[in-house]
């Protein structure tokens, strides 16, 4: 769990569409920003407690467990 409130990881959304995963994450944690990112994309390495990156495959489905950061 994160230091704030609520969840910090969403294993249950793996395999869902990116949009469905984003809605689920925002329902659990409306205080975070959710970004859909293609698998293999270059991303910054900084840690942000208000950011969740959702890595999606070429078909638009969640390929990795989204986490705060």
């Amino acid at each position: 769990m994160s230091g704030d409130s609520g969840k910090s990881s969403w294993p249950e959304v793996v395999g869902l569409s990116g949009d469905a995963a984003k809605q689920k994450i925002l329902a659990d944690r409306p205080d975070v920003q959710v970004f859909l990112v293609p698998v293999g994309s270059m991303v910054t390495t900084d840690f942000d407690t208000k950011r969740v990156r959702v890595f999606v495959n070429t078909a638009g489905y969640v390929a990795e467990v989204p986490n705060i950061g």
Side-chain angles (χ1 to χ4, degrees):
M1 300 295 259
S2 69
D4 320 16
S5 61
K7 294 180 72 168
S8 61
S9 179
W10 289 265
E12 68 274 18
V13 303
V14 173
L16 296 180
S17 72
D19 290 332
K22 181 175 182 175
Q23 294 308 313
K24 169 65 176 144
I25 293 166
L26 288 173
D28 291 341
R29 289 289 304 267
D31 61 316
V32 301
Q33 289 187 300
V34 179
F35 299 94
L36 300 182
V37 183
V39 170
S41 295
M42 291 182 59
V43 295
T44 60
T45 58
D46 63 312
F47 188 84
D48 184 343
T49 60
K50 298 298 181 183
R51 176 180 62 212
V52 177
R53 291 186 181 123
V54 178
F55 290 94
V56 295
N57 61 22
T58 55
Y61 295 97
V62 180
E64 301 175 17
V65 175
N67 296 294
I68 293 284

